[in-house]
Amino acid sequence: MSLTAATTSTTGTAATITRIPGPPGLPLVGSLLDLTRRPLRTYLDARRDYGDVVRFAAGPPGLRAEFYAVFSPEGAHQVLGSEAANFRKDNSFYDELRTSLGNGLLTSQDGDYHRQRRLIQPLFTRRRVDGYAEAVGQECAVLADRWRVVPGGVVDVAEEMSRFALRTVSRILFGADVEAAVRVVHHSFPVLGEFVLERGFAPVKVPRGWPTPANRRAAGAQRDLYAVCDRIIAERAVRRAAGVADSAGPDDLLELLTRARGEDGERLDAAELRDQVLIFLLAGHETTATSLAFALFLLAKHPEQRRRAREEADAVLAGRAPVAADLEALPYLTQVLKEAMRLYPAASQMGRRSVAESVIDGYVVPAGAQVILAPWVTHRHPDHWEQPDRFDPDRFLPEREKERHRYAWYPFGGGPRACIGQHFSMLESVLALGALLRDFDFEAVDRGVRLGQGITLQVRSPMRVRLTPRG
Ligand code: HEM
């Protein structure tokens, strides 16, 4: 249903709508506050009220920035997949992200991007990723040892999973122990995330060099993160100079990047190396942590699904550390994780800018448009999901998955810029979920959580569960 009269015209054979409907917003700022303070609620309401393509205007009259949100699976397919070349990472969010986190694999484009992807891809082949399972198992054991002695047995799963995922990815990609940096990383990424989101929607941006409180906070967070990355790189250089072998192997990410040569035969300089480390610290830990935390929390709240998950974990992982081959033997846990990612996709929104005019779901989206995709909304789209708010891992039974549009569920994005860490993340999360369910009983202490939006989905209130060691 559309609340705004749409203007219809005919180009070629298909009828297209040139005036895209959307909320009027407030007289002075349009939809700016809704988009920055409660984007997910705003998108959900917009789809319900205006349909699958919605136009938002943000900012004061005369200075309004326009955004086009696309909610249908077919629209997501077009933007990320079939017409990916027309939708570039030139939008205001990626521009801001690039300024905050540098030109790494997530943010780069064109020649830089292709060189980086060729260089880094070998670390993410199936075989290579399967080799990371041992480190995942060891990190699970470290976590379980810590949990067994937690006073009162209550832990915050969002914090715990964040630490676990950060330790795991740093160990695998950088051969580094980041325990000392956990606090810095957890504080700094959310600060930068909010800053990027605010500026991404802002119709007029205060120059970053001006000493406003927001600029100063963001600059401080960036400095702290740079220091973490520089330390990781420096420690490796010291170990290399001393001839000490690394636990992550001789060709982990840091090693590949250090040896890499550009087209001109030059090495990556210190800043380029740091950009990649920073991007992988962000992309490789926050997202996996969120998915895993929600999977555990949902199971803690749903006894029947927990029982099924635990039976599977007990049958497959009894008395031993998980290995990569276990992934196939844990189909129910995989379903649980997919359902957690449906309800709480860590990349709950992503953006692009169109190069040329295109027609999406019958709407004409102009050239140069800022396009927003929101898995948060598509994953709850009532045309594609029955009772979308219900936690039901059986939605991901293979026969039911086959019937669904490929982009009805796309937590890892899609097309040529789909997530490089997808298989690693699934392996890590499913094995960790299995090992933790085998070792502990979980019961939710908090009933709900408050969510926020930064670069990724943020948990802004305690997410506690009570643990009881088993066996
Ligand atoms: C549940 C876990 C994860 C989720 C939900 C997730 C989500 C995503 C999404 C949606 C994109 C595409 C962004 C866009 O198109 O604008 C992406 C790209 C990317 N992800 Fe992930 N990710 C996860 C785990 C990981 C891990 C574990 C790593 C690395 C170890 C990683 C590294 C990256 C990188 C480097 C890119 C850019 C790839 C490219 O453009 O070639 N991600 N991720």
Side-chain angles (χ1 to χ4, degrees), residues 302-383:
H302 292 85
E304 174 53 23
Q305 285 84 351
R306 183 165 75 239
R307 185 191 59 74
R308 284 176 67 187
R310 196 168 54 206
E311 274 176 18
E312 188 177 88
D314 286 352
V316 176
L317 300 176
R320 64 170 176 81
V323 294
D326 293 329
L327 186 60
E328 287 194 0
L330 297 168
Y332 189 67
L333 289 184
T334 305
Q335 286 173 219
V336 167
L337 208 84
K338 287 181 171 178
E339 176 68 343
M341 283 194 272
R342 180 186 71 82
L343 285 166
Y344 300 98
S348 42
Q349 61 175 347
M350 54 194 110
R352 297 289 191 268
R353 190 189 288 272
S354 62
V355 178
E357 180 183 288
S358 60
V359 177
I360 301 182
D361 285 319
Y363 293 95
V364 178
V365 174
Q370 304 233 37
V371 175
I372 294 170
L373 297 176
W376 182 267
V377 179
T378 313
H379 289 186
R380 290 171 165 76
H381 200 304
D383 293 351

Side-chain angles (χ1 to χ4, degrees), residues 80 89 94 104-108 113 117 120-121 124 132 165 169 172-173 253 276 279-292 337 341 344-352 373 375 410-426 428-429 456:
L80 295 179
K89 290 188 170 184
Y94 268 112
L105 190 62
L106 179 68
T107 46
S108 62
Y113 171 72
R117 181 100 191 191
I120 294 172
Q121 186 68 50
F124 290 93
Y132 301 150
V169 80
I172 286 168
L173 294 182
L253 182 69
Q276 292 295 353
I279 287 281
F280 272 90
L281 265 190
L282 167 77
H285 106 273
E286 267 213 324
T287 46
T288 302
T290 303
S291 312
L292 205 37
L337 208 84
M341 283 194 272
Y344 300 98
S348 42
Q349 61 175 347
M350 54 194 110
R352 297 289 191 268
L373 297 176
Y410 66 110
F412 295 106
R417 300 298 302 254
C419 179
I420 199 172
Q422 175 168 353
H423 177 56
F424 168 43
S425 172
M426 287 304 289
E428 176 182 4
S429 305
T456 58

Side-chain angles (χ1 to χ4, degrees), residues 3 24 46 60 95 108 152 170 172 182 194 215 221 224 231 259 280 284 332 357 423:
L3 296 183
D95 288 349
S108 62
S170 304
I172 286 168
V182 164
E194 272 179 44
N215 276 347
D224 291 345
R231 203 171 316 128
R259 284 201 309 258
F280 272 90
Y332 189 67
E357 180 183 288
H423 177 56

Side-chain angles (χ1 to χ4, degrees), residues 215-286:
N215 276 347
R216 283 218 295 265
R217 248 194 332 273
Q222 190 184 40
R223 240 189 343 266
D224 291 345
L225 285 170
Y226 278 180
V228 168
C229 297
D230 290 343
R231 203 171 316 128
I232 290 174
I233 294 166
E235 280 171 9
R236 168 60 64 90
V238 169
R239 287 202 302 275
R240 193 184 305 109
V244 179
D246 271 298
S247 58
D251 53 353
D252 66 5
L253 182 69
L254 213 46
E255 208 52 43
L256 274 186
L257 293 172
T258 311
R259 284 201 309 258
R261 295 277 192 280
E263 276 185 339
D264 48 8
E266 293 285 307
R267 281 178 187 273
L268 296 185
D269 66 27
E272 288 170 313
L273 197 55
R274 187 184 59 203
D275 287 355
Q276 292 295 353
V277 170
L278 189 50
I279 287 281
F280 272 90
L281 265 190
L282 167 77
H285 106 273
E286 267 213 324

Side-chain angles (χ1 to χ4, degrees), residues 3 5 42 66 70 80 107-108 130 137 205 216 249 299-300 325 336 340 423 443 451-452:
L3 296 183
T42 299
E66 291 192 334
V70 173
L80 295 179
T107 46
S108 62
D130 284 354
K205 297 182 203 343
R216 283 218 295 265
L299 286 178
V336 167
H423 177 56
E443 196 194 322
L451 296 173

